[in-house]
Amino acid sequence: MLELDLSAEIQALRHTYGDISEVVDVTRLQADIARLSEEAGAPDLWDDPEKAQKVTSALSHKQAELKRVNDIGRRLDDLEVLVELANEMEDEESAAEARAELTALTAVMSQLEVQTLLDGEYDDRSAIITIRSGAGGDDATDFAEMLMRMYLRWAEQHKYPVKVMDTAYAEGAGIKSATFEIDAPYAFGTLSVEAGTHRLARISPFGSADKRQTSFAAVEVIPLMEEATEVDIPENDIRVDVFRSSGPGGQSVNTTDSAVRLTHLPTGIVVSMQNEKSQIQNRAAAMRVLQTRLLLLQKEEEAAKKKELAGNITASWGDQMRSYFLYGQQLVKDLRTGHESGNPAAVFDGDLDDFISAGIRWRKRPDED
């Protein structure tokens, strides 16, 4: 006789769901959606395209967040009904389906629970990711492209829209650098734990000696800020270069000099954009990213100064944060959290959620003496 009892597990999930709903504040979300929906329905909304884009984007993000929470509530209800049905009908197939759904719901709930830890000033924003190849020649530029694909696959699996803003292709394999935007609620808070230096160790496919090659790539993650008005950049502090957008191998993909590179002379920060059709649009996008980087740099310097004055110097994140081993023992290991995977192929195919969750929990742990 079939007797499927998942009541304890479901009750535990309901308790976690209640905590998550309280932190997310469903009532506030619903009020925000109502307000934004009213603004989005205004007849003159698109008279100001920039404002219209902000309103519709914010509305989409809020609706997605509310749907994610409500969907879990409905799935919990459906799971209880499925368990009852399996017991009444003594149906092993329904019982197996219920166990599988319990496992899936537990994983989804764990991810959403991690999101409740994202309470930083900019954590709820979309993310702009820049990947730069480091030491290692062709292996490094190839590694940079592997990392780019890894994050694009992660975004694709989560159905997050992505916009590639700039790509500098290497003369040999891979890319020198790339900048792309992942447009999703809490994308910055989620992916900010991916920032740092990534290291790849493998037998190089570009050499003839079959020797192990170590290469590096840097990942930078910043929040998408529509306006960084707190940062005023004098024109004299910026050098503007325009050039023709190009694809792999230097092949032209644009017949006009529409791509823009901004160099902030005092700090040496460089931002390039070539995704938009016009030079004016690329310059505006590049300026927004530059302002964001300078704002974050300013805040980091202020925070460091406060810690110094308080005499509270704590261990900071090391630049080298993850190693990928593709020879001998296949392994990906996070050097901060200790989390690891013995399936590098899956990780490079976007299987990053466990690494990201471990990073977020690690970052929120109490400071140790």
Side-chain angles (χ1 to χ4, degrees), residues 173-242:
I175 58 173
K176 294 179 181 177
S177 65
T179 298
F180 51 96
E181 172 191 330
I182 295 182
D183 183 20
Y186 292 93
F188 170 67
T190 301
L191 291 168
S192 59
V193 296
E194 290 293 299
T197 298
H198 296 237
R199 178 170 70 102
L200 172 67
R202 65 176 175 178
I203 301 299
S204 173
F206 304 102
S208 57
D210 290 333
K211 292 183 178 179
R212 190 186 77 177
Q213 175 71 37
T214 300
S215 53
F216 299 86
V219 174
E220 175 193 75
V221 185
I222 64 174
L224 176 64
M225 302 175 71
E226 297 300 330
E227 295 179 2
T229 52
E230 297 175 50
V231 177
D232 181 34
I233 308 176
E235 285 292 329
N236 292 340
D237 285 354
I238 301 175
R239 186 177 72 239
V240 182
D241 298 304
V242 296

Side-chain angles (χ1 to χ4, degrees), residues 67-255:
K67 182 178 184 300
R68 186 161 52 248
V69 174
N70 286 341
D71 282 351
I72 290 177
R74 281 192 290 270
R75 287 176 67 179
L76 278 170
D77 292 340
D78 291 345
L79 177 58
E80 289 185 325
V81 172
L82 187 59
V83 171
E84 290 178 9
L85 179 64
N87 285 324
E88 287 176 7
M89 304 294 294
E90 296 189 10
D91 181 8
E92 186 57 48
E93 187 175 335
S94 295
E97 185 181 345
R99 294 187 191 98
E101 176 63 359
L102 175 66
T103 300
L105 261 178
T106 301
V108 170
M109 197 86 77
S110 177
Q111 293 298 325
L112 194 57
E113 187 178 18
V114 168
Q115 183 179 304
T116 64
L117 300 175
L118 302 178
D119 55 2
E121 185 176 0
Y122 306 117
D123 279 356
D124 62 342
R125 295 179 182 267
S126 297
I128 295 176
I129 299 176
T130 297
I131 299 172
R132 297 185 181 87
S133 63
D138 285 344
D139 279 280
T141 54
D142 185 52
F143 180 36
E145 188 170 40
M146 291 165 65
L147 290 178
M148 179 180 179
R149 180 186 181 278
M150 179 178 76
Y151 292 119
L152 295 183
R153 288 285 293 127
W154 177 85
E156 179 185 337
Q157 290 166 17
H158 288 274
K159 297 180 171 56
Y160 295 155
V162 174
K163 180 170 72 173
V164 178
M165 308 171 83
D166 179 65
T167 307
Y169 293 93
E171 293 180 4
I175 58 173
K176 294 179 181 177
S177 65
T179 298
F180 51 96
E181 172 191 330
I182 295 182
D183 183 20
Y186 292 93
F188 170 67
T190 301
L191 291 168
S192 59
V193 296
E194 290 293 299
T197 298
H198 296 237
R199 178 170 70 102
L200 172 67
R202 65 176 175 178
I203 301 299
S204 173
F206 304 102
S208 57
D210 290 333
K211 292 183 178 179
R212 190 186 77 177
Q213 175 71 37
T214 300
S215 53
F216 299 86
V219 174
E220 175 193 75
V221 185
I222 64 174
L224 176 64
M225 302 175 71
E226 297 300 330
E227 295 179 2
T229 52
E230 297 175 50
V231 177
D232 181 34
I233 308 176
E235 285 292 329
N236 292 340
D237 285 354
I238 301 175
R239 186 177 72 239
V240 182
D241 298 304
V242 296
F243 56 98
R244 186 166 297 179
S245 302
S246 61
Q251 194 170 25
S252 174
V253 295
N254 197 322
T255 57

Side-chain angles (χ1 to χ4, degrees), residues 273-328:
M273 290 293 157
Q274 59 176 311
N275 180 72
E276 305 296 346
K277 293 182 179 179
S278 75
Q279 186 183 126
I280 293 175
Q281 291 173 314
N282 278 320
R283 176 166 177 160
M287 180 62 76
R288 189 165 66 243
V289 173
L290 177 59
Q291 286 178 314
T292 300
R293 286 181 176 165
L294 290 174
L295 176 61
L296 295 177
L297 179 63
Q298 176 182 310
K299 289 183 176 293
E300 287 171 5
E301 290 174 347
E302 289 173 355
K305 185 64 176 175
K306 287 178 181 177
K307 285 184 178 180
E308 182 181 345
L309 292 173
N312 180 25
I313 306 300
T314 58
S316 61
W317 288 47
D319 278 344
Q320 189 172 308
M321 47 79 70
R322 186 176 301 147
S323 292
Y324 306 75
F325 299 97
L326 300 185
Y327 73 97

Side-chain angles (χ1 to χ4, degrees), residues 310-366:
N312 180 25
I313 306 300
T314 58
S316 61
W317 288 47
D319 278 344
Q320 189 172 308
M321 47 79 70
R322 186 176 301 147
S323 292
Y324 306 75
F325 299 97
L326 300 185
Y327 73 97
Q329 181 187 12
Q330 302 283 301
L331 182 70
V332 179
K333 182 167 185 176
D334 193 291
L335 305 179
R336 307 154 305 173
T337 67
H339 184 77
E340 58 185 49
S341 168
N343 190 352
V347 174
F348 279 119
D349 199 38
D351 186 10
L352 283 172
D353 284 340
D354 289 344
F355 281 98
I356 290 171
S357 296
I360 292 172
R361 295 182 190 279
W362 179 87
R363 186 173 60 186
K364 294 296 289 187
R365 70 184 183 185

